[in-house]
Amino acid sequence: MRSAAFDYVRAGSVAEALVALADDRETRVLAGGQSLVPMMALRLARPEVLVDITRCPELQSCSLEESVLRIGAAVPDAVLERDPDIRAAHPLLVRTLSLIAHEEIRARGTLCGSLAHADPAAELPALLLATDGEVEVDGPGGPRRVPAAEFFDGPFTAALDDGEMVVAARLPVPGPAVGWAVDEIARRPGDFALAGAVCTVELDSSGRCSGVGVALFGVSSTPVRSRGAEEVLMGQQVDEAVLDAAAAASLDGVDVLGDEVHAPAAYRRDAGRALVRRTLAAAVRSAGGGTA
Amino acid sequence: MTGQPVPVTLRVNGRREVGRVEPRVTLAEFLREELGLTGTHVGCEQGVCGACTVVVDGAAVRSCLMFAVQAEGCDVETVEGLGRDGLHPLQQAFWDAQAVQCGFCTPGFLMTALVALRERTDWDRTALRERLGGNLCRCTGYEPIVDAVLAAAEAARNPGGEAAR
């Protein structure tokens, strides 16, 4: 179906975009449009004004500053995937991007757009959450930074006020000693994940876990940190029993989605725990831990 | 009133095109209805099936998930741009491998495969299947399509070889 009628503003700068977003009518930011345009075609979204931010020069670049990769809101996923500097600096990001839909979608879809869209089954919000990233926002109240833990308010709901937009994402780059893994279960490669997990693990010189971040996606109404799994792992010499215990505790305090058309709740629980077990084992291996 | 037509200028298959479109008109719709380029097929209209795949500034994209106004200043390639003097080698490979049945998905597959072969010609079957995985075909069972693209890749690697004939 055709989208409902809207006015289109091609912003030439963030300042212009913010003026356009201050319109009294319902406005939406348009970057890659790979989530928003289908929602408009299905009339699930009916913005009256679309503000295209892809031509804003200040949103088109990425930079690596003090172990933080800053990604502008107009940078498509496919550009990130191919950038040799990003491939070298943040292989976990590159691996995560490869799980998103298909090449034709990643050619236009953006990382910041995925964060703002806040689909609970999306990979990138979980990556931001697991690695304690931040979102740079600008709006009528001026620029601000929002930690990942405060950004995902609910399904398809990000902590953005009226007239605000995402200008960049700040992804801490895991150091060379940090192990990582990301995995998901989907019916076919490229489909939305029924469940997924992303994690980072750091081991000290004695092989004990000195840092860990685990986030699940597709399991709850937002991406969620698995504090249960993290608490089990932290400070421990990681062996099979510890990994089993971490997986068993991984959904503690997580409000798992109920039965729905794609999967029953029991399946999601099993899948979530299995993915935490699998990704933690892989992350420990890549951190140099021998046991898993 | 909301949604009044706006000007758009772009290149399509090397030709400069100027139009006025409602912002809600997708690139697929613009190509088909305004320019009469009906080789780009519209299936699901929500980015899932890949039938509407075209090449924009070198990248294969869904023309149903892009408004025509977003293509301002862009270079667009559609299936009509392939093989204007007889079949393009990729089209010939589809013919030879019987990779076409009803033909609805074919233009999308061709444009996806075109970009895949520009990126590299050393595809193995598994990687190529995944690369073509964003395009749906309800007739062929995919195998002849993968065969066709692999044959075209082989021909591109060895221009004088058996597969190029």
Side-chain angles (χ1 to χ4, degrees), chain A residues 62-70 136 145 170-173:
Chain A
C62 300
S63 59
L64 185 60
E65 312 153 347
E66 291 169 24
S67 305
V68 174
L69 185 58
R70 183 183 185 276
E136 286 185 30
R145 283 191 195 177
R170 302 180 66 85
L171 294 175
V173 175

Side-chain angles (χ1 to χ4, degrees), chain B residues 17-76:
Chain B
E17 303 283 358
V18 180
R20 284 185 72 79
V21 289
E22 280 188 70
R24 65 173 172 167
V25 169
T26 63
L27 178 58
E29 233 182 314
F30 178 75
L31 293 168
R32 291 175 56 84
E33 311 290 329
E34 298 295 322
L35 305 183
L37 298 174
T38 53
T40 298
H41 292 168
V42 177
C44 70
E45 295 183 87
Q46 47 182 289
V48 176
C49 77
C52 70
T53 304
V54 300
V55 179
V56 175
D57 290 343
V61 303
R62 304 280 198 250
S63 61
C64 76
L65 293 191
M66 199 174 162
F67 297 111
V69 288
Q70 291 175 272
E72 172 69 28
C74 291
D75 197 353
V76 179

Side-chain angles (χ1 to χ4, degrees), chain B:
Chain B
M1 215 178 97
T2 302
Q4 290 301 302
V6 293
V8 61
T9 304
L10 64 166
R11 290 187 83 77
V12 180
N13 300 324
R15 211 180 109 158
R16 185 167 180 269
E17 303 283 358
V18 180
R20 284 185 72 79
V21 289
E22 280 188 70
R24 65 173 172 167
V25 169
T26 63
L27 178 58
E29 233 182 314
F30 178 75
L31 293 168
R32 291 175 56 84
E33 311 290 329
E34 298 295 322
L35 305 183
L37 298 174
T38 53
T40 298
H41 292 168
V42 177
C44 70
E45 295 183 87
Q46 47 182 289
V48 176
C49 77
C52 70
T53 304
V54 300
V55 179
V56 175
D57 290 343
V61 303
R62 304 280 198 250
S63 61
C64 76
L65 293 191
M66 199 174 162
F67 297 111
V69 288
Q70 291 175 272
E72 172 69 28
C74 291
D75 197 353
V76 179
E77 297 167 75
T78 71
V79 72
E80 286 87 353
L82 294 182
R84 276 182 274 204
D85 312 310
L87 293 181
H88 183 278
L90 195 52
Q91 291 170 314
Q92 185 64 50
F94 269 59
W95 178 292
D96 293 340
Q98 301 191 30
V100 178
Q101 192 172 321
C102 87
F104 192 85
C105 69
T106 310
F109 267 105
L110 288 169
M111 301 317 281
T112 301
L114 181 73
V115 172
L117 294 184
R118 283 178 185 165
E119 283 167 9
R120 49 189 266 217
T121 55
D122 61 343
W123 289 96
D124 67 60
R125 196 172 188 89
T126 305
L128 184 64
R129 283 176 62 97
E130 198 157 314
R131 185 66 178 76
L132 300 177
N135 291 66
L136 298 183
C137 172
R138 299 286 79 145
C139 304
T140 63
Y142 300 102
E143 294 301 321
I145 295 174
V146 178
D147 292 342
V149 181
L150 286 173
E154 163 73 15
R157 284 200 305 273
N158 304 302
E162 175 77 8
R165 285 191 302 133

Side-chain angles (χ1 to χ4, degrees), chain A residues 1-3 5-8 10 25 30-31 34 37-38 41-42 48 50 52 55 82 102-104 107-108, chain B residues 2-4 22-25 29 45-46 59-62 64-67 69-70 72 112 119 131 133-134:
Chain A
M1 189 187 337
R2 262 188 172 184
S3 302
F6 60 86
D7 286 334
Y8 172 82
R10 185 181 297 119
R25 294 175 293 170
L30 175 66
Q34 302 300 287
V37 177
L42 295 167
E48 295 166 281
L50 277 192
D52 185 347
R55 313 282 173 120
R82 294 199 171 116
H102 300 279
E103 176 81 21
E104 298 75 44
R108 293 194 60 79
Chain B
T2 302
Q4 290 301 302
E22 280 188 70
R24 65 173 172 167
V25 169
E29 233 182 314
E45 295 183 87
Q46 47 182 289
V61 303
R62 304 280 198 250
C64 76
L65 293 191
M66 199 174 162
F67 297 111
V69 288
Q70 291 175 272
E72 172 69 28
T112 301
E119 283 167 9
R131 185 66 178 76

Side-chain angles (χ1 to χ4, degrees), chain A residues 174-251:
Chain A
V178 176
W180 54 263
V182 56
D183 199 2
E184 67 183 31
I185 293 173
R187 292 197 188 277
R188 297 165 300 186
D191 281 7
F192 280 106
L194 297 171
V198 52
C199 66
T200 60
V201 174
E202 196 163 7
L203 304 178
D204 67 17
S205 53
S206 67
R208 287 181 193 282
C209 174
S210 56
V212 56
V214 183
L216 290 154
F217 52 97
V219 169
S220 190
S221 58
T222 62
V224 283
R225 278 291 279 262
S226 175
R227 298 293 179 193
E230 292 175 7
E231 279 165 22
V232 169
L233 231 68
M234 196 64 190
Q236 295 298 307
Q237 197 84 38
V238 183
D239 57 18
E240 297 289 334
V242 169
L243 288 173
D244 287 342
S250 62
L251 298 177

